[in-house]
């Protein structure tokens, strides 16, 4: 089984990565570690409060096959988190796949991970003028860009970003990844049943709860 991690920081965006994380966990049975520089609560930009499962003191970035960086509406706290930046520097000369979307490629730039790499990002371009570590000559204005073990994307292309990561690890996710049109489905196709085995498993699980009213 491959090892995946998502990095948490203030105001991270769940929306930009949940197509990917849902496919990995629900569709393909993978587990994901949620890493942060501190063992404390982090609030997403959607307002959800989340605790990391591990801190960066517990692991090395090379413990993972793929590390996912969500975007953030406010990248400065993460950008000036030296423990986080040092953690990202550990990917140098490894084959760990780094998948960063929206504003998060700026963290890779500061860590030197994007040195000499083609990339895209969803941050405002004035930031590339403010921070000299951003290699503007390597910025590619496309939705998703892959260069070696680095996959970067713009937040509005979260499905395409997810597809690029899933393709990298050769998962079969079909032709219409999370793009279904409700009008194309019949009533029968929208009526769902467990298999007999799944139904028995549900009934066994149900016994652990109060079933007086069932």
């Amino acid at each position: 089984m491959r090892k995946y991690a998502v990095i948490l920081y203030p105001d991270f965006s769940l929306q930009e990565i949940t197509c990917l994380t849902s496919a990995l966990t629900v569709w393909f049975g993978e587990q994901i570690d949620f890493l942060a520089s501190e063992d404390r609560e982090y609030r997403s930009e959607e307002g959800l409060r989340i605790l990391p499962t591990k801190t960066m003191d517990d692991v090395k970035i090379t413990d993972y096959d793929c590390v996912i960086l969500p975007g953030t509406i406010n990248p400065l706290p993460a950008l000036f988190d030296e423990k986080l930046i040092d953690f990202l520097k550990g990917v140098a000369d490894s084959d760990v796949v780094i998948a960063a979307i929206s504003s998060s490629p700026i963290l890779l730039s500061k860590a030197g991970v994007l040195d000499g790499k083609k990339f895209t990002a969803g941050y405002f371009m004035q930031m590339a003028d403010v921070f000299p570590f951003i290699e503007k000559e390597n910025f590619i204005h496309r939705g998703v860009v892959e260069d070696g073990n680095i996959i970067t994307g713009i937040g509005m292309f979260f499905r395409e970003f997810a597809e690029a990561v899933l393709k990298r690890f050769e998962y079969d996710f079909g032709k219409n990844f999370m793009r279904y049109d409700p009008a194309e489905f019949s009533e029968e196709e929208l009526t769902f049943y467990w298999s007999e085995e799944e139904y028995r498993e549900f009934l066994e699980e149900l016994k652990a709860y109060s079933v007086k009213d069932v």
Side-chain angles (χ1 to χ4, degrees), residues 39-127:
D39 186 11
R40 65 173 179 85
E41 178 182 283
Y42 289 81
R43 188 183 294 267
S44 77
E45 66 180 30
E46 298 89 351
L48 292 171
R49 299 158 63 184
I50 296 181
L51 292 172
T53 55
K54 294 181 180 179
T55 71
M56 293 166 187
D57 291 326
D58 301 323
V59 295
K60 302 186 298 293
I61 197 168
T62 51
D63 292 336
Y64 296 94
D65 297 290
C66 179
V67 174
I68 301 161
L69 281 71
T72 166
I73 198 169
N74 177 22
L76 293 181
L79 189 63
F80 289 93
D81 182 342
E82 292 306 319
K83 182 176 285 188
L84 168 57
I85 299 302
D86 286 343
F87 181 78
L88 294 174
K89 289 178 180 177
V91 77
D93 301 320
S94 78
D95 57 359
V96 178
V97 173
I98 303 294
I101 190 169
S102 189
S103 61
S104 65
I106 196 171
L107 307 178
L108 302 181
S109 289
K110 187 174 183 183
V113 177
L114 292 183
D115 289 355
K117 297 279 189 179
K118 304 297 183 184
F119 70 97
T120 192
Y123 50 67
F124 295 105
M125 292 307 298
Q126 290 95 328
M127 295 181 76

Side-chain angles (χ1 to χ4, degrees), residues 127-143:
M127 295 181 76
D129 296 324
V130 172
F131 297 111
F133 50 76
I134 297 176
E135 296 184 343
K136 292 187 289 184
E137 67 275 16
N138 288 323
F139 194 108
I140 307 297
H141 296 273
R142 291 206 305 264

